[in-house]
Amino acid sequence: MTDSTLDLNRRRLLKAGAIGGIAAPGFYVPAHAEEPTAPPADDSVRRYARLGKTGYEISDISFGSSRLRSGEERLVHYALDRGVNYIDTAESYTSGQSETVIGNALKGRRDKVILASKQWASADTTRAEMMHELEASLRRLQTDHIEIYFNHAVNAVDRLENPEWHEFVAQAKAQGKIAYTGLSGHAGRLADVLEVAIDKSLVDVVLVGYNFGQDPKFYERITRSFDFVARQPELPRLLKKAKDKGIGVVAMKTLMGARLNDMRAYEASGSTYAQAAFRWTLGNADVDALVVSMTDEAQISEYLGASGAKALAQGDMDLLRRYAVLNGATYCKHACNDCSGACPVDVPISDVLRTRMYATDYQDIDFARSEYRALATNASACLGCSGAPCAGACPHGIDISALCAPTHQLLA
């Protein structure tokens, strides 16, 4: 694709409203620092970052296991052999297979790894129920302790403030079953949740959805005017606030949908879109490290090619810009949640489109279906809907009605 074609596509995209509210945009040299050349090809960890006050030094690009399945212990070994020492999992990932595989893979190597897991605890989950979930994870992981234990996908302050959670955490710490606690989140009320968690010192670590497409600074660098296309204008401030208080900050969802094959034709000089996206995230001094789902050995090697970077490499902004243009019209910025309340029967639009991303972008239909089944309300109502209630509800121009019903047909 030539630059003139890219600019034409960008103009079409802006006209369609996918990057709306930008007056007379024009690309210019980004202020974000760039390294003169891409880092040398190397598939091992080159930097370890201190995770807040925990004192743990973790690999800056670490192993996400949301899609890890039975028999894939070799993937864990491959990552560990290249210096990855932080593994992120959860009791729900692949219906417990993820934790089981990790438990098998860490035999004889457990003391070399900082292990993080999660459970989904609601506002009325009891301490006994939480302890039951933790102990089930410990059995699958074949360990007696977990270094970081998260309340998973917290999107409401009442879940964060459930006194049973804090009593459970105190008990689990006293028993040596967990060392530190945290929250994970990537949805529309993330800013509210983070504000309370940070101000009240309720967590030791936060795991948050953060990528260039959610950061207003990215759009400042490619347009001449500020806009709220990221829909998370508070997130950079909150990450800094967390870092200043000694709370560890780990980023996830860093690939903005991970349509990696869309970008292969534009990658050159040994640098890839994924590496560019990681360098953007790690270039924020308020982010300690990132976790990303690693599903094959070649992918692990590619991802670790960005380890050690604290700035963009030459050509990275062009790759990120192209990706935003190619995918901005269909990528749901689920942390925005501005469509909330648009549906009269309360279909959780952003969550439905998040599961669609797993199917269409990640190409993992099984994971997408498991996540879709977990939704309290699905998109079945969209099958007989005219689409009028949610028309125009997305500030980025996504045609919600054209995506939700097909998602239900694909995943239900």
Side-chain angles (χ1 to χ4, degrees):
M1 182 183 293
T2 65
D3 286 340
S4 60
T5 303
L6 177 64
D7 288 340
L8 176 61
N9 284 348
R10 175 178 59 81
R11 289 195 295 273
R12 288 171 176 165
L13 182 62
L14 296 177
K15 184 176 180 181
I19 304 181
I22 304 175
F27 293 121
Y28 64 95
V29 177
H32 201 76
E34 288 196 354
E35 297 173 355
T37 57
D42 187 357
D43 68 347
S44 61
V45 174
R46 281 169 283 175
R47 184 170 72 88
Y48 295 86
R50 183 173 292 273
L51 187 60
K53 292 180 179 178
T54 70
Y56 297 135
E57 298 279 342
I58 71 171
S59 42
D60 59 353
I61 297 175
S62 287
F63 193 94
S65 65
S66 63
R67 296 156 64 192
L68 193 65
R69 293 180 170 87
S70 294
E72 294 186 328
E73 286 83 359
R74 61 179 177 77
L75 286 179
V76 181
H77 293 154
Y78 191 88
L80 296 180
D81 290 344
R82 280 146 188 80
V84 172
N85 72 341
Y86 183 85
I87 296 179
D88 174 274
T89 186
E91 50 86 21
S92 62
Y93 288 168
T94 52
S95 302
Q97 292 179 64
S98 173
E99 289 185 329
T100 300
V101 170
I102 291 167
N104 292 336
L106 293 186
K107 290 177 181 177
R109 307 179 74 166
R110 175 66 182 90
D111 62 338
K112 307 296 184 184
V113 172
I114 296 152
L115 191 56
S117 194
K118 319 177 192 74
Q119 70 164 275
W120 198 95
S122 72
D124 55 8
T125 303
T126 67
R127 178 176 60 181
E129 291 169 327
M130 296 172 194
M131 187 62 73
H132 176 77
E133 292 294 335
L134 169 61
E135 290 174 345
S137 287
L138 292 172
R139 287 192 296 273
R140 285 188 292 269
L141 291 164
Q142 302 179 53
T143 187
D144 61 359
H145 70 285
I146 294 171
E147 280 79 6
I148 315 288
Y149 198 63
F150 293 93
N151 196 345
H152 195 182
V154 179
N155 193 33
V157 172
D158 60 349
R159 283 182 58 200
L160 181 69
E161 294 187 318
N162 178 1
E164 292 284 297
W165 171 262
H166 301 288
E167 291 174 12
F168 153 72
V169 164
Q171 181 182 2
K173 286 184 175 181
Q175 294 175 352
K177 294 175 181 176
I178 63 173
Y180 296 96
T181 188
L183 71 86
S184 73
H186 51 73
R189 289 178 288 277
L190 176 59
D192 295 338
V193 169
L194 286 175
E195 197 89 66
V196 172
I198 296 166
D199 286 346
K200 295 187 176 182
S201 300
L202 299 179
V203 294
D204 303 302
V205 181
V206 294
L207 172 63
V208 297
Y210 175 66
N211 59 56
F212 68 93
Q214 292 173 304
D215 189 340
K217 290 183 179 180
F218 172 72
Y219 296 95
E220 287 178 332
R221 282 155 178 68
I222 65 170
T223 69
R224 295 192 185 279
S225 63
F226 178 80
D227 70 288
F228 286 90
V229 68
R231 312 311 295 183
Q232 279 286 17
E234 293 298 301
L235 191 52
R237 176 185 67 81
L238 289 166
L239 297 185
K240 183 178 190 311
K241 188 175 183 179
K243 190 70 179 289
D244 289 346
K245 288 198 69 172
I247 296 171
V249 176
V250 182
M252 61 176 169
K253 309 296 183 189
T254 52
L255 290 173
M256 191 180 163
R259 296 187 68 90
L260 304 184
N261 289 335
D262 289 0
M263 297 300 296
R264 296 307 186 195
Y266 312 117
E267 296 169 345
S269 304
S271 184
T272 69
Y273 159 73
Q275 293 167 353
F278 295 157
R279 284 191 283 264
W280 174 275
T281 299
L282 295 173
N284 183 338
D286 298 320
V287 174
D288 297 319
L290 64 87
V291 295
V292 58
S293 293
M294 296 181 176
T295 59
D296 62 57
E297 294 174 357
Q299 189 182 71
I300 293 171
S301 294
E302 175 187 349
Y303 289 172
L304 292 180
S307 176
K310 292 187 177 181
L312 292 177
Q314 187 174 7
D316 280 355
M317 273 300 295
D318 186 53
L319 285 174
L320 300 181
R321 180 182 70 175
R322 288 177 187 272
Y323 188 90
V325 170
L326 289 169
N327 297 293
T330 57
Y331 174 68
C332 172
K333 299 173 178 64
H334 39 266
C336 140
N337 209 35
D338 281 358
C339 57
S340 177
C343 177
V345 295
D346 296 325
V347 170
I349 296 168
S350 64
D351 284 331
V352 169
L353 296 186
R354 173 175 57 84
T355 64
R356 175 187 177 275
M357 176 186 71
Y358 297 141
T360 61
D361 295 5
Y362 291 16
Q363 295 290 299
D364 193 332
I365 193 72
D366 291 337
F367 180 61
R369 283 175 174 155
S370 69
E371 290 292 299
Y372 191 73
R373 284 195 301 269
L375 299 181
T377 304
N378 64 28
S380 59
C382 300
L383 297 176
C385 180
S386 67
C390 62
C394 177
H396 315 295
I398 291 176
D399 187 350
I400 294 170
S401 65
L403 298 177
C404 282
T407 297
H408 179 77
Q409 291 171 321
L410 178 66
L411 302 180

